[in-house]
Amino acid sequence: MAEIEKRVNEENARPRKRYISPATREEVYAIYYDALRRKIELQGTTHFPEVGGKKLYGELTMAITLDHAGRVLGTELVQSSGKPALDRRAQAIVRGLAFGPFSDAMRRQADQILVVSRFKFTRDETLEAAVSAKP
């Protein structure tokens, strides 16, 4: 009985994570993701990545983990752009942001969310972000 209680307590101590994907239909997550996407796109467009005065263009996929307060806990490259400088700048853009706290409805379901997003730095010097279908 003590072993079962210990395992239950350990499981309850872990943060509850929620993966956000294109298949996620709950409106509360869609609204949160849309605000997150717009904030990343604005920051990425305002601070478009460059090295030595040359703009960096390309596409990459990144997993972003947020806590219930909207803080970025981590970023992980899922698919590189093939340009290490662009990959690093994209991660820095996301890590430099704070997002709003989870709504009560989100908080009831998760302590953290994981969003996999595709980032596209375009020749018109904008960043486009979209939820990816693949982690």
Side-chain angles (χ1 to χ4, degrees), residues 26 34 50 52 79 121 129-130 132 134:
E26 293 99 333
D34 191 54
E50 57 181 66
Q79 182 175 2
F121 292 91
S132 176
K134 301 183 230 175

Side-chain angles (χ1 to χ4, degrees), residues 4 12 19 26 31 44 56 58-59 68 80 87 90 104-105 129 131:
I4 293 171
N12 288 340
Y19 172 71
E26 293 99 333
I31 291 168
L56 297 171
E59 209 172 304
H68 64 88
S80 172
D87 295 345
D104 291 339
V131 171

Side-chain angles (χ1 to χ4, degrees), residues 39-72:
K39 194 167 195 175
I40 291 171
E41 286 178 347
L42 178 62
Q43 186 74 0
T45 299
T46 303
H47 301 284
F48 200 84
E50 57 181 66
V51 171
K54 293 186 177 189
K55 303 287 183 186
L56 297 171
Y57 307 105
E59 209 172 304
L60 59 109
T61 303
M62 184 187 323
I64 306 164
T65 303
L66 302 170
D67 72 5
H68 64 88
R71 291 182 297 253
V72 177

Side-chain angles (χ1 to χ4, degrees), residues 16-24 26 29 63-64 110 112-117 131-135:
R16 295 170 298 150
K17 292 184 182 179
R18 177 74 189 239
Y19 172 71
I20 305 300
S21 75
T24 304
E26 293 99 333
Y29 288 103
I64 306 164
Q112 298 176 358
I113 60 172
L114 173 69
V115 178
V116 177
S117 189
V131 171
S132 176
K134 301 183 230 175

Side-chain angles (χ1 to χ4, degrees), residues 7-16 111:
R7 286 190 3 221
V8 168
N9 287 336
E10 286 173 357
E11 183 66 31
N12 288 340
R14 294 183 199 161
R16 295 170 298 150
D111 300 315

